[in-house]
């Protein structure tokens, strides 16, 4: 029995109200995201499935930025990929040991913040994804997905 699971991470730039600087330059940020693909796996033989994606941020004339990730189909306690009527629980983390849930700062989830980014430089932030299969042995075969919105505040 093989299952395919894929997480699609979407990007969203929030720059509707740029802060004006004293020299009339406008603060701005651009963001890009790479999806996380968990690939094919068997929930009967694996205990967890890990994968990574990334969020790349490039800002001009800002003193800090903060990256939030939405909860997608689930909650920050347990995000959920879907395939038809079936669900596959997973989560996204700030750290490789999968201890710090990456979210919006609510419900135990935290954001990623960078102070004093160099103007015009790309900063790549790794997103760690994990599916805990040891508690989901009966998940059905299918292509599972979720969409996560990336929000950069500055």
């Amino acid at each position: 029995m093989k299952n395919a699971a894929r997480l699609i991470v979407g990007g969203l730039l929030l720059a509707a109200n740029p802060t004006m600087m004293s020299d009339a330059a406008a603060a701005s940020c651009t963001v890009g995201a790479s999806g996380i693909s968990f690939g094919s796996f068997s929930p009967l033989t694996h205990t967890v499935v890990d994968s990574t994606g990334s969020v790349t941020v490039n800002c001009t004339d800002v003193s800090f930025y903060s990256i939030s990730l939405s909860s997608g189909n689930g909650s920050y306690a347990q995000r959920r990929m879907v395939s038809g009527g079936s669900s596959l629980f997973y989560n996204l983390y700030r750290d490789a040991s999968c201890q710090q849930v990456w979210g919006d700062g609510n419900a135990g989830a935290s954001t990623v913040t960078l102070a004093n980014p160099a103007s015009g430089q790309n900063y790549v932030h790794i997103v760690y994804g994990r599916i805990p299969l040891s508690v989901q042995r009966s998940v059905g075969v299918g292509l599972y997905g979720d969409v996560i919105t990336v929000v950069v505040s500055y």
Side-chain angles (χ1 to χ4, degrees):
M1 174 196 277
K2 284 207 170 202
N3 284 357
R6 198 179 90 193
L7 170 64
I8 302 168
V9 179
L12 173 66
L13 170 64
L14 291 183
N17 296 312
T19 303
M20 298 305 292
M21 305 302 284
S22 60
D23 62 358
S28 66
C29 292
T30 58
V31 60
S34 69
I36 297 174
S37 176
F38 289 104
S40 296
F41 57 86
S42 170
L44 300 177
T45 59
H46 293 89
T47 56
V48 297
V49 178
D50 292 332
S51 191
T52 61
S54 65
V55 175
T56 303
V57 179
N58 185 314
C59 294
T60 303
D61 297 325
V62 301
S63 59
F64 79 97
Y65 64 79
S66 180
I67 307 168
S68 299
L69 301 181
S70 71
S71 59
N73 286 315
S75 68
Y76 292 119
Q78 200 170 52
R79 287 179 166 104
R80 184 172 58 98
M81 289 185 276
V82 295
S83 177
S86 299
S87 294
L88 182 59
F89 296 104
Y90 75 99
N91 222 327
L92 301 174
Y93 302 89
R94 297 174 29 167
D95 60 317
S97 61
C98 297
Q99 299 298 310
Q100 301 172 20
V101 174
W102 194 340
D104 67 357
N106 293 306
S110 56
T111 62
V112 170
T113 300
L114 182 66
N116 301 312
S119 192
Q121 180 174 331
N122 284 334
Y123 289 91
V124 179
H125 303 274
I126 303 299
V127 181
Y128 299 91
R130 173 168 284 176
I131 301 171
L133 291 172
S134 59
V135 295
Q136 301 183 84
R137 295 288 185 208
S138 63
V139 66
V141 174
L143 180 62
Y144 289 80
D146 194 5
V147 176
I148 300 298
T149 303
V150 178
V151 177
V152 174
S153 305
Y154 54 93

